[in-house]
Amino acid sequence: MKIDTLINNVTVFNSYFKKFSINNVGILNGKFIYIGKRGEESFQANDVIDGTGKFMIPGLIDIHLHIESTMVTPDTFSFGLIKNGVTTIVPEPHEMANVFGLQGVTEMIKASRYCMVDMFYSIPSSVPATSMETTGGSIGIAEIDELMETEEIICLGEIMNYVDVISDKETKSNQIIEHIRAKYPYLTIEGHVPKLLDLDLHKMIYAGVDSDHTHQTLQGIEERLAAGMFIELQEKSMSQEIIDYLVEHQVTEHFCFVTDDVMADSFENRGHLNHLALKAMKMGMDIEQVIYACTYTPAQRMKLTDRGVIGPGKVADFVLLNDLQKFEIDQVFKDGKKAYDVREEYVQSRMPSQFPDSFYQSVKLSPLHEHDFSIIVKQENGSYSCRVMMVKDGSTFTEEQKSELKVRNHILQWEESEHGLIATFERYGKNGNRAHGLIDGDVIKKGAIATTYSHDNHNLLVIGQNTEDMVKAANEVIRHQGGICVVENGKVLQMLELPVGGILSEEPLGLFAKQVEDLRNAMKELGYNHYNSIMSISTLSLPVSPALKITDYGLINVNEGNVVPLVVE
């Protein structure tokens, strides 16, 4: 029998038995046709590969991530994935949707069509995530129907406004869920349910939201599994007690590993889903269970029944490992063809102008001035008790504290306090909204940082310890049509340019990763003490992530789902 490729004597992972065994593997027309003991006596292959000493596993599958979190284009993202053994992803482009609406989604899908990695898109369901922020676009039922008719959509992306889902049947989130369940009953619905337990958790599942990828606790993960919720475990949830729990209990079918948000420097230096696989093994999980959770269960969750397995008729996406325990990648194959070889040069070229011209002119803000960072209050002199957003290392959640601040000539004297200022400015030219707050904790102690990479609305967000540096940082970002700028004593320490929608770069991954690393170091110089400082600052404007956040509408009490004043009367 004529086939394209025959790999002899390779140690193959069988997903159904969750075991390895030495076999020969035949590939025809981009799919596996045979896994067994027959070899060259039965097959005439165009290419014969000696697999002796190699371990063959299915290509890794990540079903919950945001390409925009890496701040690169789909082409660059695909380049980085392949060398890390990831061959299929399910991206949710809700950042581009927040900036450009429906066109943001369609352009991301268009930019993905010629990528090496298979990208099956999910529809952003929470754009905007709440009614308490201004975005550049929105996704509603009409846009969902258009995407379902015109694009290859695999699931409804994470339902983020869990407060609305469990408290008010008439909200936009519930209307979208009901529409999906009625019109597209087989479409997978993804969830975002941080800290929900007991009745509130069960209300979410009853509504149709049956997965969660947010930061888990042992109690939370046990309650979710007991209620039939599928767990998508990202790195910040990989505590020893949770890994031990997954190892000790028979829940292999009910969880997988996902990356969600990966910074470019981490992507380049540590890897992607393969990094989580190696970490899980080091924490005590059997290699067989790890591979299963990076291939088979994510494929089953998304009904991708043609992959995630090395078996007849399945897509021939696979990874050859040199060392199983080190998860050392030797080669990666996509659709039966070699896509990466550790011994061969692997270079990415720069691809500019991958999006429409309008995507490079999206920051519609005039230069800011010192008065834009003044907080005017009713009282002429005296003091006020004010809310303070407390940043804490180890989490993107914040806490609320109260602090007494002086007032002079109706101006809150925040620069004389122990706290910094956080401010946000609507940047789409829609209403000119702006809001101010106070910030403290594991955040900068000097200088200023400004960014349009601020989830999910991506308005201009500025934090700082003095007005002069805040003005400088803000105006640098405006001048460059988006990015992240770090300033100290009037000097720009680092400017990360993000010209596509104010959130993406078109630089090659290696170069951009170095720029992100430099940015992180500059933030650290200002005293930002956080395990992921870039993600920390970018989620200070995320009004669905507890507890006190800020949008152009004002300070948001996330748990109650409302706007609260800076000054506590």
Side-chain angles (χ1 to χ4, degrees):
M1 179 181 179
K2 292 184 178 180
I3 61 174
D4 296 321
T5 305
L6 178 65
I7 305 175
N8 290 319
N9 300 313
V10 65
T11 305
V12 183
F13 181 70
N14 185 295
S15 302
Y16 306 114
F17 289 137
K18 303 185 187 68
K19 290 182 179 180
F20 283 94
S21 60
I22 297 176
N23 281 298
N24 301 325
V25 178
I27 298 169
L28 178 65
N29 297 328
K31 296 182 179 181
F32 297 111
I33 190 170
Y34 180 75
I35 300 92
K37 301 302 179 184
R38 292 177 179 269
E40 293 181 68
E41 78 286 351
S42 300
F43 301 106
Q44 296 82 52
N46 295 328
D47 189 19
V48 177
I49 299 173
D50 182 9
T52 304
K54 308 293 184 188
F55 299 87
M56 178 186 284
I57 66 172
L60 307 184
I61 299 173
D62 191 338
I63 61 171
H64 184 89
L65 59 79
H66 309 283
I67 295 173
E68 304 98 310
S69 292
T70 311
M71 300 181 283
V72 298
T73 63
D75 178 73
T76 298
F77 201 71
S78 175
F79 173 85
L81 290 173
I82 286 293
K83 67 178 182 179
N84 288 295
V86 182
T87 55
T88 298
I89 61 172
V90 180
E92 183 191 336
H94 72 221
E95 313 301 350
M96 287 291 273
N98 271 284
V99 178
F100 297 113
L102 179 63
Q103 188 185 15
V105 179
T106 57
E107 290 295 334
M108 282 292 282
I109 294 173
K110 186 186 298 183
S112 304
R113 286 188 176 134
Y114 301 103
C115 293
M116 179 72 71
V117 170
D118 287 333
M119 300 185 183
F120 298 96
Y121 274 79
S122 61
I123 297 178
S125 64
S126 303
V127 178
T130 71
S131 59
M132 299 173 290
E133 57 191 316
T134 302
T135 59
S138 63
I139 300 292
I141 289 174
E143 289 78 15
I144 288 173
D145 284 341
E146 183 172 341
L147 286 167
M148 290 297 294
E149 291 172 6
T150 60
E151 309 291 348
E152 293 185 13
I153 299 298
I154 200 168
C155 71
L156 181 68
E158 57 182 304
I159 300 290
M160 298 183 71
N161 198 335
Y162 56 91
V163 175
D164 277 3
V165 175
I166 64 179
S167 62
D168 186 354
K169 189 176 182 180
E170 302 304 316
T171 60
K172 177 183 174 182
S173 294
N174 276 318
Q175 290 171 3
I176 288 174
I177 293 171
E178 290 176 7
H179 180 75
I180 292 295
R181 295 184 75 177
K183 193 170 182 179
Y184 314 104
Y186 299 109
L187 195 69
T188 300
I189 299 176
E190 292 289 271
H192 171 108
V193 290
K195 295 190 175 182
L196 289 192
L197 298 171
D198 198 42
L199 179 58
D200 287 342
L201 176 65
H202 287 216
K203 283 182 178 179
M204 287 294 290
I205 300 172
Y206 179 83
V209 181
D210 62 350
S211 76
D212 185 29
H213 68 277
T214 60
H215 195 174
Q216 302 292 340
T217 63
L218 185 59
Q219 179 187 4
I221 205 167
E222 187 167 35
E223 286 200 22
R224 281 156 175 72
L225 289 168
M229 184 169 264
F230 187 82
I231 301 297
E232 297 166 4
L233 204 69
Q234 56 175 298
E235 185 171 14
K236 64 185 177 183
S237 293
M238 291 174 66
S239 65
Q240 190 62 56
E241 62 179 2
I242 285 177
I243 294 298
D244 289 345
Y245 182 90
L246 295 173
V247 169
E248 293 167 9
H249 295 77
Q250 299 299 313
V251 293
T252 305
E253 308 299 326
H254 306 296
F255 79 94
C256 71
F257 291 105
V258 300
T259 56
D260 196 9
D261 305 300
V262 178
M263 293 289 103
D265 54 343
S266 174
F267 195 6
E268 177 72 3
N269 299 326
R270 296 196 308 169
H272 197 259
L273 200 58
N274 56 322
H275 166 68
L276 301 193
L278 182 59
K279 182 173 183 174
M281 284 189 288
K282 289 180 177 179
M283 295 177 75
M285 187 175 286
D286 289 341
I287 179 63
E288 292 83 2
Q289 188 176 12
V290 170
I291 295 170
Y292 198 75
C294 290
T295 57
Y296 187 81
T297 53
Q300 293 298 304
R301 168 69 186 170
M302 289 297 161
K303 303 180 178 69
L304 292 169
T305 56
D306 66 339
R307 65 195 64 214
V309 176
I310 297 172
K314 305 299 183 183
V315 175
D317 294 349
F318 61 95
V319 181
L320 294 180
L321 300 173
N322 284 322
D323 189 309
L324 202 56
Q325 297 307 315
K326 294 181 180 178
F327 216 83
E328 185 179 287
I329 295 174
D330 183 69
Q331 294 176 319
V332 180
F333 287 74
K334 183 75 189 72
D335 297 317
K337 293 181 170 54
K338 186 170 68 174
Y340 172 78
D341 190 316
V342 71
R343 291 165 293 276
E344 298 174 2
E345 190 176 31
Y346 190 66
V347 180
Q348 181 194 2
S349 58
R350 188 175 185 274
M351 290 182 60
S353 304
Q354 299 176 49
F355 293 89
D357 290 346
S358 60
F359 279 42
Y360 302 88
Q361 297 293 326
S362 65
V363 181
K364 298 177 173 62
L365 261 177
S366 299
L368 299 179
H369 305 280
E370 289 190 6
H371 64 80
D372 293 307
F373 297 93
S374 294
I375 303 175
I376 310 300
V377 295
K378 294 179 182 179
Q379 188 170 306
E380 182 176 0
N381 295 294
S383 64
Y384 274 120
S385 176
C386 299
R387 289 182 169 85
V388 181
M389 184 189 302
M390 300 298 295
V391 175
K392 187 177 181 181
D393 185 19
S395 176
T396 54
F397 296 163
T398 64
E399 297 176 355
E400 177 183 321
Q401 289 188 8
K402 304 289 193 308
S403 183
E404 200 79 12
L405 267 74
K406 295 178 181 179
V407 176
R408 189 180 305 120
N409 297 323
H410 296 285
I411 298 176
L412 198 68
Q413 301 299 304
W414 67 268
E415 287 189 75
E416 296 181 10
S417 75
E418 59 186 6
H419 313 299
L421 180 71
I422 181 168
T424 186
F425 302 84
E426 185 271 317
R427 58 99 157 181
Y428 299 103
K430 291 187 172 183
N431 53 37
N433 281 356
R434 57 186 57 193
H436 301 84
L438 300 170
I439 191 166
D440 211 328
D442 297 324
V443 73
I444 61 171
K445 307 304 179 187
K446 56 184 177 179
I449 305 172
T451 178
T452 48
Y453 178 72
S454 55
H455 300 313
D456 278 337
N457 49 71
H458 298 293
N459 287 310
L460 177 65
L461 183 75
V462 192
I463 63 172
Q465 293 290 334
N466 69 83
T467 298
E468 181 183 353
D469 285 346
M470 294 181 80
V471 172
K472 177 71 172 179
N475 288 336
E476 282 295 305
V477 171
I478 293 170
R479 185 170 69 86
H480 285 92
Q481 278 295 304
I484 309 174
C485 184
V486 180
V487 171
E488 183 184 9
N489 296 326
K491 179 183 177 182
V492 175
L493 301 184
Q494 190 68 25
M495 176 67 213
L496 184 76
E497 296 183 30
L498 302 173
V500 183
I503 61 174
L504 299 184
S505 169
E506 292 181 321
E507 296 290 349
L509 182 60
L511 176 60
F512 185 67
K514 179 62 169 62
Q515 293 173 355
V516 171
E517 185 177 354
D518 291 343
L519 172 71
R520 197 187 300 278
N521 289 334
M523 294 174 70
K524 189 175 182 180
E525 283 183 34
L526 299 190
Y528 214 127
N529 180 31
H530 197 280
Y531 81 101
N532 192 340
S533 55
I534 298 173
M535 188 54 62
S536 172
I537 188 174
S538 73
T539 53
L540 297 177
S541 58
L542 184 60
V544 292
S545 175
L548 185 68
K549 297 296 173 76
I550 190 170
T551 74
D552 61 301
Y553 279 51
L555 292 173
I556 309 297
N557 182 318
V558 176
N559 295 328
E560 294 180 4
N562 56 25
V563 179
V564 294
L566 169 62
V567 172
V568 182
E569 299 289 351

